[in-house]
Amino acid sequence: LAIGRALDLIYGAAGAFAKQRDYAISLANLGALRNALGDFDAAETLLREALDVDSVLYGKTHPNTAAQKRMFGQVLSLRGKWD
């Protein structure tokens, strides 16, 4: 499956550029795709990691980090995870 291969490529490259913006964007895009496909566990994991990367890159109050928080929050909300 192409999505699985994309995840393998991203995770394989993580050691080289795990804290870079491209990595966070890739994680967020795959998280959004997994969410759209109904794979909420994978979406949550991917979006949480994207948020973690942006928090390290930009800090917790940067607009890019806020955008990741919004996406992650939406997935949690759809899953009924309010805590």
Side-chain angles (χ1 to χ4, degrees), residues 5 7 10 15-16 19 29-30 34 44-45 51 53 72 80:
R5 179 71 181 131
L7 285 171
I10 287 171
K19 300 302 181 203
N29 288 340
L30 284 171
R34 289 291 192 169
E44 182 178 337
T45 299
L51 175 58
V53 172
F72 182 62

Side-chain angles (χ1 to χ4, degrees), residues 23-24 26 44 47 49 51 53 55 68 76:
Y23 180 64
S26 296
E44 182 178 337
L47 292 172
E49 188 166 350
L51 175 58
V53 172
S55 293
Q68 292 293 11
L76 293 179

Side-chain angles (χ1 to χ4, degrees), residues 63-75:
N64 288 349
T65 305
Q68 292 293 11
K69 285 180 184 178
R70 180 188 54 79
M71 288 178 57
F72 182 62
Q74 287 175 334
V75 169

